[in-house]
Amino acid sequence: MTRIIALIAALGAASPILADEVTDTLKSAMTAYEEGDIQYALDELEFAKQALLRMKTDSLGAFLPKAPDGWSVEVNSDMNTGLAMMGGGVGAEANYTGPDGQDIKLTLMADNPMVASMSAMVTNAAAMGMKVERIGRQRFAVQDGQILGLIGNRVLVQTEGEIEMAKTLLETMDFAGLANFGL
């Protein structure tokens, strides 16, 4: 047993941190830059950026709640394509379907110009005549089959569909973790 531990420790000390797609691509960009191939360096940097955005998107998607008993959930994997046309950022979206055909769409958007523009509306919802409710320790604006909330001043949470079931979904979310995601 101590031999195995010693072997693992020796291998760990002898080798650098395991490479991944991002570090390999960044190293390739540096090599291209050092060789004077600026265009290839730019291409590699863009590739690394896209890989990092995929990682960030995956981490945001982890905050989508599981489907309640008897419900199904379908995650929209094309969510970020639309965000690219709205100034970037990351997003996650899921459609929840109940046993009686009820539908709820839950969308998370972060670090997007649309989030900044919606923040004033969400923050001043009561002054705009919207109903304001607390779910956990978060304030949400509720109106016309939608619930809107701003978590950590950077993540917009939006539901569309049956309000009471949407609240039930939101009650299961980790808002403290969501406020700090990706930081």
Side-chain angles (χ1 to χ4, degrees):
M1 181 69 159
T2 41
R3 280 184 174 184
I4 293 171
I5 293 171
L7 179 61
I8 291 171
L11 287 173
S15 64
I17 296 174
L18 295 176
D20 63 27
E21 178 181 39
V22 174
T23 56
D24 288 347
T25 304
L26 290 172
K27 287 178 185 177
S28 176
M30 284 295 297
T31 300
Y33 173 75
E34 290 166 355
E35 293 171 354
D37 190 347
I38 303 301
Q39 185 57 54
Y40 188 72
L42 286 169
D43 292 345
E44 289 292 85
L45 288 173
E46 184 59 32
F47 188 81
K49 177 183 174 185
Q50 293 304 316
L52 287 168
L53 283 172
R54 277 192 310 274
M55 293 167 65
K56 191 173 179 181
T57 298
D58 291 345
S59 69
L60 181 61
F63 288 97
L64 291 168
K66 294 179 182 176
D69 289 340
W71 285 63
S72 64
V73 62
E74 183 179 333
V75 176
N76 177 0
S77 58
D78 294 331
M79 170 75 181
N80 281 317
T81 304
L83 286 178
M85 293 184 290
M86 294 188 298
V90 294
E93 182 177 85
N95 292 302
Y96 297 83
T97 305
D100 297 326
Q102 316 94 307
D103 283 317
I104 297 172
K105 181 164 88 172
L106 175 61
T107 305
L108 308 175
M109 286 189 283
D111 305 329
N112 174 288
M114 185 174 158
V115 173
S117 66
M118 298 287 288
S119 66
M121 183 183 79
V122 173
T123 304
N124 299 307
M128 296 174 66
M130 298 172 79
K131 182 178 176 184
V132 176
E133 293 192 26
R134 286 210 179 269
I135 300 173
R137 292 182 160 202
Q138 299 297 317
R139 291 174 29 141
F140 287 87
V142 180
Q143 185 173 9
D144 298 329
Q146 288 191 335
I147 301 175
L148 292 170
L150 187 63
I151 311 299
N153 292 320
R154 62 186 275 266
V155 181
L156 181 69
V157 176
Q158 178 180 5
T159 69
E160 295 177 29
E162 202 274 311
I163 295 293
E164 291 308 313
M165 191 59 194
K167 287 181 195 176
T168 300
L169 280 174
L170 293 173
E171 288 170 353
T172 67
M173 293 180 67
D174 175 11
F175 294 128
L178 185 57
N180 294 310
F181 111 93
L183 298 179

